[in-house]
Amino acid sequence: MVTKTLNVSRKHEIKEKFYLIAVLQGMWITLKYFCRGFFLWKSYTINYPEEKRNYSQRFRGMHFISYDENKIENCTACYLCQTVCPAECITIIAEERDPLKNPSGVWKEKKPKSFDIDALRCCFCGMCEESCPKDAIKLSRNYELATRTREQAIYNLDHLKREVKGRG
Amino acid sequence: MSFNNQNIVVNKRRMYINYCSDKKPLENLEDQENLENQENQENQKNRPLKNKINIDGKEIEFLPGDTIMQAAERGGIAHKIPRYCYHPGLPIAGSCRMCNVEIEKASKLMTACSTPASNGMVVHTNTSKVQKACTGVMEFLLTNHPLDCPVCDQAGECELQEYNYEYGPGTSRFSETKRVFTNATTKRLSDKITLNMNRCINCERCIRFEETITKSYELVMLNRSWEKELTLSNYESDENDKDDEDKMPTKGLTSSYQGCLADICPVGALTFNDFRFQKRVWFLNRQPSICDACSKGCNIEVHFENDIIYRYTPIFNEKVNRHWMCDRGRISYHDVEDSGRITMPFMNTIDSHLHSVEWMTVLSYLKSTLAIAKKVLIILGTDSTCEEAKLFINRIPSLSKGEVKVCFYNGTGDVSSSKDDEKIDYLLQMKDQTANTKGLELLGIPPLETSYVPDSTDNTDSTDSDVVIYFRSGRAGVGGRGGLELKLKSSASLFLWGVFYKKELDKAALKQIVAIIPGLMTVEKSGTFINCDSLSQSFTSAITHKGAALPADVIFQIMILENRSAIRS
């Protein structure tokens, strides 16, 4: 394959070459915000770990799986989220629920044996939430997903079944 | 996007429905007859007039006695008529009323599956009247059908889903609560089949299958209307308590063709436990192959994803298995996925323990052993393909200067050749549990002499081979594990080549095994089997081979190429 390099020469006017106007504009903006912060005590940053910024109610963060009053997850391992996921970050293995531990009757005869979400692959598009027929998988507003290793970013069913109030 | 997908689904079903019928187009049949009856042309003039039916503008010739559905199958347009209770392998019931068609000059709609076709009939399958009737039938079927497609294993290959997509009303006018069978929601009919009665649409295919194909009469429908329930009929008679009506069935289903019940069920009411909740069907790739669990050679479809097999399903073949398949063959894929299967080359070192080694170490050792051997005996398991047998016959003499003898060994109980093979039940299963006994016999290979076989009365000392190569692909010698307990000379070295399991090696005399060369199972290789009825069937590989196993032709190529390079140098 032959690659070509094209040099584009751009001619600047004398006014553009003499950066004084742009420098003065920048200095004016800096001075404006400095005066607001220094004299009027109006700050634009927050003390992050102690204070948290308020995001929109529709913000999409880390997933969770909702459960009913018996602490049984609503997920029936139908694989629809795994099918629809564009990033292929969801891995489900299904199994049959023990009939004795199935107080909700027929609707929960199938359950996920394992349900892993790779948060590093996830693009938080919310398609899994949209496709779920049981409203089991939902996206909370939790955005603090930093981990020390890559393995820790793969979340299993125990983590996903955590209690989330008001969508986090 | 969605439109294209729908087209693909419809085309697949069109192929499937029209292929799965023994009603073939009549033009081909007539050509054959014409060839046979070329001499007596007078007979042709006196032949009865051709029966012709017009379905959706297509003129189709049919035989007297065919129904409209069967005539449509002959014309290749049976996919235009929806059906639930009709199955080409089962008797006609006409109970679902889904296959309504409009016949000209008939006042009402008729069921295509049960109305006999007659000459000059004009049938329309897609008029507004037919569509309205189908929508009505669908609405009634869906009143009580639970909305648990996410849980149901049939979703993706469910006829109720497919026809609801085409004919369904889209909305429901049913505001009452749905019927629930509390006792039969997850009912084990046997250890292989689970019933969910809520999903049943009362097509009674399963009952007709038990009545006509397996003749075991183990399923019946109890009650009427909403309470109509599929139950087991084999209640154990309790003499002490004759009046008790709530006797529990004790035996469950006993036939060896239970997997077919899950196949023919149009909805997810009957599911096969081995596949239950294992995989959603839309993830599976499909590849046709041959079942190697007995000498019948049933045509199967291997369903797999990422080279892991999830199930076998039968494919229609009129000459071999029709629509059916036995349960032993259906779950025989577990042998491919067995964790104890040896997929690395092993060699027996000085301390008489098997150690995993490199491929070239084993192959160069095998080649040097063959080169100095005086008498070489090659035992082919009867599950090896005809191509592999040819390879051994042609290639081993070029590697060895000694006397080479090739013979086959079956090892299924007392079966030693295809003469001992017989049917063990009414339908498909054969006594011989290997696939290619007939093929090796037709290639002219003699059976193994009885003096090698364990537990034989022949004690003559004719076992004088230096090198013995035992080749099989996992089925031969299964009954008695005979391959590993051969009566050999104490100084003879035994090479195991093919599919072997660790549990077998525990029993075997380790001292004689020199090396194990891993090979392929039937679904991993291509080849030809000749079944018990002398029908030759070829197949191609479905999945790539497990571990480090290699096909036999590749191994021979490596060994012979090495030979040539040695000669050149």
Side-chain angles (χ1 to χ4, degrees):
Chain A
M1 203 173 117
V2 184
T3 54
K4 282 184 180 177
T5 314
L6 199 67
N7 288 319
V8 180
S9 62
R10 185 176 290 159
K11 289 181 180 174
H12 294 285
E13 293 174 14
I14 303 168
K15 212 170 80 180
E16 285 172 342
K17 281 188 177 177
F18 199 64
Y19 295 109
L20 190 65
I21 298 165
V23 169
L24 286 178
Q25 272 179 353
M27 290 299 285
W28 169 246
I29 292 168
T30 312
L31 189 67
K32 200 168 75 181
Y33 281 91
F34 171 76
C35 292
R36 280 193 197 173
F38 196 78
F39 298 113
L40 306 176
W41 292 96
K42 200 174 176 185
S43 68
Y44 291 92
T45 54
I46 55 169
N47 300 321
Y48 164 60
E50 287 82 26
E51 297 171 27
K52 278 173 186 170
R53 206 178 284 282
N54 194 19
Y55 281 100
S56 154
Q57 278 292 323
R58 297 161 73 178
F59 180 82
R60 295 192 295 262
M62 192 56 213
H63 316 70
F64 68 100
I65 287 179
S66 60
Y67 47 81
D68 60 10
E69 62 271 15
N70 297 320
K71 288 267 180 186
I72 291 173
E73 65 274 0
N74 288 333
C75 177
T76 55
C78 68
Y79 288 71
L80 283 188
C81 49
Q82 186 183 331
T83 310
V84 80
C85 181
E88 298 183 2
C89 69
I90 304 178
T91 314
I92 308 172
I93 297 171
E95 68 175 359
E96 188 166 8
R97 195 186 297 281
D98 187 4
L100 300 173
K101 293 176 185 171
N102 187 11
S104 306
V106 271
W107 312 109
K108 294 192 175 180
E109 62 180 337
K110 191 179 176 187
K111 73 164 188 146
K113 188 178 177 183
S114 76
F115 193 111
D116 294 337
I117 292 179
D118 189 348
L120 296 176
R121 291 190 69 100
C122 181
C123 59
F124 300 99
C125 62
M127 301 262 269
C128 47
E129 188 180 16
E130 203 176 317
S131 68
C132 186
K134 301 281 177 189
D135 277 350
I137 187 166
K138 289 177 179 171
L139 300 186
S140 68
R141 294 199 292 154
N142 175 23
Y143 52 86
E144 292 162 320
L145 303 174
T147 52
R148 287 176 190 278
T149 60
R150 285 173 186 276
E151 286 75 27
Q152 285 173 358
I154 300 172
Y155 295 107
N156 59 5
L157 190 59
D158 294 333
H159 178 264
L160 293 171
K161 263 178 78 178
R162 69 190 182 279
E163 191 175 358
V164 175
K165 281 178 183 170
R167 297 193 58 217
Chain B
M1 180 75 184
S2 61
F3 181 73
N4 287 339
N5 279 344
Q6 185 198 346
N7 266 1
I8 290 165
V9 169
V10 169
N11 288 339
K12 265 188 181 176
R13 208 176 72 235
R14 177 182 304 175
M15 278 174 60
Y16 172 76
I17 285 177
N18 291 313
Y19 178 69
C20 290
S21 169
D22 50 356
K23 303 282 185 264
K24 292 287 176 285
L26 280 178
E27 288 122 2
N28 303 341
L29 291 175
E30 284 214 338
D31 289 342
Q32 288 176 5
E33 282 179 15
N34 287 346
L35 286 172
E36 288 168 5
N37 302 336
Q38 267 181 355
E39 294 171 0
N40 35 0
Q41 289 184 349
E42 290 180 3
N43 286 359
Q44 284 207 4
K45 287 177 186 173
N46 296 334
R47 280 182 62 197
L49 287 170
K50 289 176 179 176
N51 290 317
K52 282 204 168 176
I53 185 172
N54 186 327
I55 301 178
D56 280 357
K58 188 177 182 184
E59 289 280 332
I60 297 162
E61 197 180 332
F62 65 94
L63 286 180
D66 285 351
T67 63
I68 295 174
M69 183 81 89
Q70 286 161 347
E73 278 170 358
R74 288 192 197 280
I77 51 169
H79 59 277
K80 290 189 174 180
I81 309 171
R83 80 284 298 277
Y84 287 121
C85 68
Y86 176 77
H87 188 277
L90 297 175
I92 290 158
S95 61
C96 70
R97 319 308 288 181
M98 192 64 192
C99 59
N100 282 318
V101 288
E102 190 173 355
I103 302 169
E104 281 187 10
K105 295 174 188 171
S107 59
K108 292 182 180 177
L109 298 177
M110 308 289 267
T111 48
C113 70
S114 59
T115 310
S118 63
N119 195 12
M121 204 179 241
V122 182
V123 179
H124 300 285
T125 63
N126 205 14
T127 59
S128 59
K129 205 174 168 185
V130 173
Q131 291 243 346
K132 197 186 167 195
C134 287
T135 309
V137 172
M138 282 308 305
E139 195 175 358
F140 269 118
L141 287 176
L142 291 172
T143 51
N144 276 323
H145 194 84
L147 193 66
D148 60 351
C149 295
V151 182
C152 180
D153 262 338
Q154 193 81 5
E157 53 182 11
C158 175
E159 291 176 32
L160 199 71
Q161 276 183 338
E162 285 169 7
Y163 291 138
N164 190 34
Y165 194 63
E166 284 180 46
Y167 300 97
T171 54
S172 175
R173 290 179 284 172
F174 186 72
S175 57
E176 291 81 6
T177 50
K178 293 197 178 197
R179 162 205 65 183
V180 176
F181 291 94
T182 46
N183 294 328
T185 47
T186 313
K187 187 176 171 185
R188 304 261 184 244
L189 294 183
S190 68
D191 56 344
K192 291 174 188 160
I193 289 287
T194 304
L195 167 71
N196 187 335
M197 195 57 212
N198 295 333
R199 296 176 190 154
C200 181
I201 56 167
N202 299 340
C203 71
E204 301 186 3
R205 273 187 191 179
C206 46
I207 294 173
R208 278 177 283 145
F209 174 78
E210 295 263 303
E211 279 174 358
T212 57
I213 307 296
T214 67
K215 297 200 170 54
S216 51
Y217 304 98
E218 284 163 340
L219 290 169
V220 285
M221 279 282 186
L222 281 186
N223 303 334
R224 281 271 173 179
S225 182
W226 273 40
E227 280 78 38
K228 198 168 185 181
E229 188 184 347
L230 184 70
T231 43
L232 292 164
S233 62
N234 49 359
Y235 289 84
E236 193 176 67
S237 60
D238 193 356
E239 292 178 359
N240 303 328
D241 197 14
K242 278 182 181 175
D243 298 330
D244 187 10
E245 289 182 354
D246 299 327
K247 287 172 199 163
M248 287 299 290
T250 48
K251 278 196 291 182
L253 297 175
T254 52
S255 83
S256 50
Y257 294 91
Q258 295 171 25
C260 297
L261 291 172
D263 277 346
I264 59 173
C265 186
V267 291
L270 293 166
T271 45
F272 195 54
N273 285 352
D274 191 59
F275 183 64
R276 188 174 158 83
F277 299 156
Q278 293 303 307
K279 203 73 190 166
R280 304 316 299 264
V281 291
W282 57 79
F283 290 118
L284 295 171
N285 302 316
R286 287 139 199 249
Q287 169 74 34
S289 185
I290 306 288
C291 177
D292 62 346
C294 78
S295 61
K296 191 77 185 175
C298 293
N299 290 206
I300 56 165
E301 207 174 41
V302 183
H303 290 211
F304 61 97
E305 194 205 7
N306 296 335
D307 286 337
I308 297 169
I309 302 176
Y310 286 94
R311 63 172 174 180
Y312 289 165
T313 53
I315 316 182
F316 176 73
N317 189 337
E318 199 183 346
K319 288 174 183 167
V320 186
N321 58 330
R322 291 185 61 77
H323 306 271
W324 321 119
M325 182 183 180
C326 70
D327 287 341
R328 195 170 60 81
R330 199 180 283 267
I331 60 171
S332 66
Y333 74 90
H334 286 297
D335 294 342
V336 184
E337 310 290 341
D338 197 330
S339 56
R341 183 181 152 191
I342 294 166
T343 54
M344 292 287 289
F346 276 84
M347 261 179 77
N348 199 344
T349 46
I350 306 157
D351 54 348
S352 73
H353 281 289
L354 287 169
H355 289 285
S356 148
V357 288
E358 294 270 323
W359 260 114
M360 292 315 293
T361 320
V362 171
L363 293 187
S364 56
Y365 181 67
L366 171 63
K367 217 175 70 177
S368 57
T369 321
L370 279 174
I372 57 166
K374 286 174 186 170
K375 279 195 169 185
V376 181
L377 175 68
I378 295 161
I379 307 169
L380 294 170
T382 47
D383 47 3
S384 45
T385 61
C386 296
E387 284 83 355
E388 283 166 344
K390 275 271 180 190
L391 268 178
F392 275 92
I393 294 168
N394 294 337
R395 296 288 169 84
I396 291 283
S398 67
L399 289 166
S400 168
K401 289 169 187 169
E403 185 191 335
V404 179
K405 198 172 147 195
V406 182
C407 54
F408 73 78
Y409 179 58
N410 192 311
T412 313
D414 53 348
V415 178
S416 58
S417 68
S418 64
K419 285 172 192 170
D420 307 329
D421 198 11
E422 58 186 9
K423 275 193 170 189
I424 55 169
D425 67 353
Y426 38 82
L427 199 56
L428 294 174
Q429 291 189 67
M430 303 295 287
K431 195 176 178 184
D432 181 4
Q433 296 190 4
T434 59
N436 203 21
T437 313
K438 200 103 178 186
L440 297 187
E441 277 177 1
L442 289 174
L443 282 172
I445 301 169
L448 186 68
E449 288 164 25
T450 48
S451 54
Y452 289 96
V453 181
D455 314 327
S456 73
T457 51
D458 190 0
N459 284 323
T460 52
D461 197 26
S462 66
T463 57
D464 54 347
S465 306
D466 301 319
V467 178
V468 179
I469 299 178
Y470 182 58
F471 180 83
R472 69 168 213 195
S473 56
R475 302 266 179 239
V478 162
R481 306 279 182 221
L484 307 180
E485 293 160 6
L486 293 169
K487 285 200 281 187
L488 300 174
K489 199 167 71 175
S490 58
S491 63
S493 48
L494 172 65
F495 285 88
L496 300 180
W497 188 338
V499 179
F500 293 91
Y501 299 97
K502 278 171 190 164
K503 59 193 174 191
E504 290 176 298
L505 297 181
D506 298 338
K507 294 181 190 172
L510 266 177
K511 281 180 186 173
Q512 295 207 320
I513 300 171
V514 176
I516 302 173
I517 305 167
L520 306 184
M521 292 286 279
T522 306
V523 287
E524 293 164 347
K525 62 190 177 189
S526 318
T528 308
F529 281 158
I530 297 178
N531 79 344
C532 59
D533 305 323
S534 305
L535 186 76
S536 166
Q537 303 187 97
S538 294
F539 54 90
T540 52
S541 58
I543 58 170
T544 53
H545 27 78
K546 304 271 172 197
L550 284 177
D553 54 343
V554 172
I555 292 173
F556 274 115
Q557 264 179 13
I558 293 168
M559 288 205 288
I560 286 167
L561 282 176
E562 266 201 340
N563 246 1
R564 282 178 191 161
S565 60
I567 291 164
R568 273 176 204 159
S569 63

